[in-house]
Structures are given as C-alpha cells and as structure tokens.
Amino acid sequence: MPMGDSTVTTVEEGREQAAPRPVMGAPEQGFLRRRRVPRRPRLWFEILLIAVSYWTYSLIRNAVPEQRHEALRNADWIWRMEYHLGIAVEDSVNHAVNSVTWLIVGMNYYYATLHFVVTLGVLVWLYRSHPGRYAATRLVLFATTAVALVGYYFYPLAPPRLMPHENFVDTVLVHQTWGSMASGDLKHMSNQYAAMPSMHIGWSLWCGLTIFALASVPWVRVLGLLYPVLTLVVIVATANHFWLDAVGGMLCLAFGYTVARLWYGSLPYALPRVVTDGREERRLASAKA
C-alpha cells in the first residue's frame, strides 16, 4: 500500500539530508554516542538481526514451562474478575462470530498470518522510505517483545478456549482450519499458556501507530488505526485471548516506546526521515576540505 511522509513531519524537511548528529542533549563520547545517532540501516544486518531475534523469541517463549494448573487458575481469576466488573464479553463475541462460518474461518486465517505479514511489511516500508527512523522504531518493537517474555514466564495464562469448565469454542478445531500454532497438530510447537500479554495486540498497535504517524495518504492512515482494533476483535472472537490480554500488550508497547525515547532522546517518528551513513559523511567532509 502506498505510504509516504506524514504532514506532521514536514517541519524537518530542511534537515532530512543532514549528516548524523546526536539527538541527546548531553555531550557523549565514543561507542555509546555513535549508537544513539540515527543512521542508515544495512540490509544484511537487519535481515540477520530480525531472523536471530525472532528465533530467540520463539525459543525463549516455548522454553517457558507450561504450567497448566497455574495457567488455568490465572484464567479463572481473570474471568471471575471480568464478571465481577461486568466486562466479561468474550464468550458472547466468541459464540456470535462462530455462528457465521465464513467470518470465523477468515478470522482464523487472519490470526495466523497477518500478525507476521503486516509487521514484516511495515518493517520493510520503514527500511525503504524512512531509514532515519527505522532503527528507533524497530527498537520499540524489540523492547516490546522482550518485556512480553517476562510476562510469559511470571504469569502463565491459559487462553479462554482451553478453559475446561467454560463454554468457549476453539474455532480452529471446530472448523478444521489452519489458524493457530496452539491448536491441532501444531500445538506442541508453541507454548499454549503464554497468552498474557497479547503480542498480536502489541505488534498490531505498533504497526497501526507507525502507519498513522508516517503515512501521507489519509485512507492508509485510517487503515493503520483500524488494524489493531480489528485484531482485538479477532483475538477475542477466536477465543485465543481475554481482552485484558490486550491491555497487557498495550502496556508492553508503552514500555517499548519509553525505551526508544530514552535511548534516542526523541520518539522515533520525530527523528529525521533520511540520514547519511558514515561513508557519506566522510565523503562530504573530504569534498569540503
């Protein structure tokens, strides 16, 4: 989809081709200073980094002990608390959407695919169109995912579809679709009790905010905001998450933005869109000499 520069960043157009400079206020020296300077990403490094990071994330997530009894106890507690607060809507949404076969089947595939496809698509778009903002925005995503691993370890949580004494429908099993690595023949490849926080929400909201902040086409910006909203409906309708899991994902994302803000001294979207790399900086300096 066509994406361009957001009008909110036009004030920086005069400095978009500037050489790298520190974005932190205090003078810094050496390696740490260089790491905090926005720079042009290198394709080979980014591919390797993303591949290794996702492999590590999957390894750690699946290495967390599947504490079934504790995970079910936590799920019961959340479900009772939602009922007490009058916000327990997951079963109603699950059954209502499950009654429309084409809709729930579509949501099963949505849950299984777009989580990865859209996130990778946004990363590629950032790399190509906003290289100066790429590293900081990628840091948000990585920090969000890293803190989620802490939640998986210390708060095992069963998804609604695995609660034995409730009437939730496991839509992947019922409709025999390929829709979740935590159901059917693939369930042994994924930790089924890592539902809190929801990274479907953490990642989709990261995508949505990035698109909204940086895309220039109005309808694309609207789609960016709708994407995490629709994802929330999907994770609840397929009984893969309580909606409070989404709150956990939002808190993890807030942590990710805080890390990027502290490291770069600015939110990612306020950084220059384009920066020169070290070789270009040295070439410019030589030309002036």
Side-chain angles (χ1 to χ4, degrees), residues 177-221:
T177 59
W178 178 79
S180 173
M181 288 189 69
S183 292
D185 295 334
L186 298 177
K187 65 182 180 181
H188 299 297
M189 297 176 62
S190 178
N191 185 352
Q192 299 187 75
Y193 304 113
M196 170 67 84
S198 169
M199 280 299 93
H200 272 75
I201 292 300
W203 288 13
S204 67
L205 189 56
W206 174 86
C207 291
L209 292 176
T210 300
I211 292 170
F212 180 78
L214 299 179
S216 61
V217 181
W219 66 265
V220 174
R221 300 180 72 196

Side-chain angles (χ1 to χ4, degrees), residues 129-277:
S129 301
H130 298 267
R133 298 163 179 150
Y134 173 87
T137 313
R138 186 244 292 139
L139 176 60
V140 174
L141 183 65
F142 280 26
T144 298
T145 306
V147 76
L149 292 172
V150 179
Y152 298 150
Y153 188 89
F154 288 103
Y155 195 78
L157 181 69
R161 59 183 176 77
L162 291 183
M163 298 177 69
H165 303 301
E166 302 297 336
N167 196 30
F168 287 100
V169 178
D170 188 330
T171 59
V172 171
L173 292 180
V174 168
H175 297 281
Q176 299 182 340
T177 59
W178 178 79
S180 173
M181 288 189 69
S183 292
D185 295 334
L186 298 177
K187 65 182 180 181
H188 299 297
M189 297 176 62
S190 178
N191 185 352
Q192 299 187 75
Y193 304 113
M196 170 67 84
S198 169
M199 280 299 93
H200 272 75
I201 292 300
W203 288 13
S204 67
L205 189 56
W206 174 86
C207 291
L209 292 176
T210 300
I211 292 170
F212 180 78
L214 299 179
S216 61
V217 181
W219 66 265
V220 174
R221 300 180 72 196
V222 172
L223 284 180
L225 293 181
L226 289 178
Y227 175 52
V229 175
L230 182 55
T231 300
L232 176 60
V233 175
V234 168
I235 68 173
V236 171
T238 56
N240 279 294
H241 288 280
F242 297 100
W243 74 266
L244 285 180
D245 299 344
V247 176
M250 295 175 190
L251 292 175
C252 289
L253 184 63
F255 172 83
Y257 277 106
T258 300
V259 170
R261 176 67 174 80
L262 292 174
W263 184 255
Y264 286 97
S266 172
L267 287 175
Y269 313 131
L271 294 172
R273 182 179 68 85
V274 176
V275 292
T276 57
D277 58 24

